[in-house]
Each structure stands twice: as structure tokens, then as C-alpha cells.
Amino acid sequence: MSHGERFLDWLERLKREKAWTAARAALRRSLAFPPGAYPKAMPYVEPFVKEEGWRREAHYLVAALYALKDGDHRGGHTLARALREKAQDPGSVELRFLALLDADRDQIAFRLRQAVGLLKGGLDFARLLDDLLGWFASPERRVQVRWAREFYGEEAAKGIQDSGAEEVEA
């Protein structure tokens, strides 16, 4: 079980409790503050978090996004995949995705909130936490590269080729 899966299990247990309404409100409200800086969200995250720095902030961020989506967890549905599906509609999804990939520590909470806010349906929050824990860990930006491959990968390239073939046939 990954760290993200253990944290998701924590959030799922919290969601089943009577206090979920208050927890959800506090966690959602915490998105207006830097991750881990909103005191009313602390009772719902601090008992699980043992880390400091970015790792602590990542837990707060994922808990707040989980609350924003009302706990709509969908295993295997990564943020990059969900954004690729959303990019089928006209709009600025790709530009927002690129800004997210380039986000530094000061920007990432805002960019993630924007990206998640665009989406309908659930996300794999366990994977999101695991990815965020590695977001700044490698100079090669492995998480960002993997997300780009999910967004622009083989399936997306196939869709571009298919639409080009339709234009030729028409």
C-alpha cells in the first residue's frame, strides 16, 4: 500500500463519520490559505501527517482537493488523464496544464485548485498525493514528465492522427 493509499484510507474513514460536513467545509475553506496554514483544517490532517515542509503541505493540499470534489475518488483516473479528457472540449485546458507542469512551490496549490475545479467526476487522490510527494524530488522532473506523457501520450497522438485521417477522407 502506497503512502497515498494510506492517506486516502484516512480521508475515506473521515468521510464516513458524522463530522464529515464540518471537515469538508474546513478543508475546502483551507484552499484559500497556503497549505497547512488554516487552523480549522488541522484536526483533519495533522493526526496523519508526520512530515514537514513540502511533504506536509502536499497532504493538506490533497485533503482540500478531496473535500472540494466531495470525496469523489476514482482509482486510476489521474489528474493528467482527466485533464486530457477535458481538453477534448474547446478552452484553455492545455494552457492550464502546461502552467501546472511548470508550477513552483508558491504556485502549485493555486494551479492544482484551478485544474481540479475544471473537472467533473472523480480523481485518483492516492496517486495525486504520491505524485505530489515526488513533485520537487527530482531535478529531472519525473512526475511532470509522466504527467505530460499521460496528457500527450500515445492515446492523445492516436486521436490527433484519427482526426487528421477523417479530414483527408472528407
Side-chain angles (χ1 to χ4, degrees):
M1 183 178 261
S2 74
H3 189 82
E5 290 168 334
R6 287 191 301 274
F7 188 60
L8 177 66
D9 188 50
W10 168 266
L11 293 173
E12 294 281 321
R13 277 188 272 144
L14 185 64
K15 185 179 165 187
R16 288 190 294 267
E17 293 179 5
K18 260 186 167 178
W20 172 241
T21 302
R24 179 175 166 245
L27 291 169
R28 287 174 62 139
R29 177 81 177 115
S30 74
L31 284 168
F33 299 85
Y38 184 60
K40 289 185 177 180
M42 292 177 178
Y44 310 111
V45 180
E46 284 302 323
F48 185 88
V49 177
K50 308 289 183 261
E51 297 94 346
E52 292 298 326
W54 168 246
R55 294 183 64 86
R56 180 175 177 271
E57 293 173 23
H59 285 82
Y60 273 94
L61 191 51
V62 169
L65 294 172
Y66 178 85
L68 181 67
K69 300 298 283 182
D70 198 21
D72 191 4
H73 172 73
R74 187 171 155 198
H77 197 236
T78 65
L79 181 58
R81 183 170 295 144
L83 288 171
R84 182 182 71 205
E85 291 167 5
K86 179 69 178 174
Q88 304 302 319
D89 300 334
S92 61
V93 175
E94 183 179 9
L95 293 176
R96 288 182 189 215
F97 179 71
L98 291 171
L100 174 61
L101 291 182
D102 196 35
D104 62 23
R105 193 167 162 176
D106 292 335
Q107 300 168 329
I108 195 165
F110 176 72
R111 303 240 187 254
L112 275 170
R113 180 180 180 182
Q114 279 188 323
V116 170
L118 288 172
L119 304 173
K120 292 186 170 111
L123 289 175
D124 189 334
F125 289 97
R127 183 62 182 257
L128 181 60
L129 179 58
D130 288 334
D131 286 350
L132 290 180
L133 293 176
W135 192 264
F136 300 111
S138 112
E140 297 86 19
R141 303 172 59 111
R142 290 185 183 135
V143 172
Q144 292 88 332
V145 169
R146 187 168 41 75
W147 282 26
R149 286 183 177 148
E150 287 181 32
F151 189 86
Y152 295 110
E154 190 173 313
E155 289 180 36
K158 186 177 181 254
I160 291 169
Q161 290 171 350
D162 289 347
S163 67
E166 291 171 6
E167 290 174 11
V168 171
E169 291 172 5

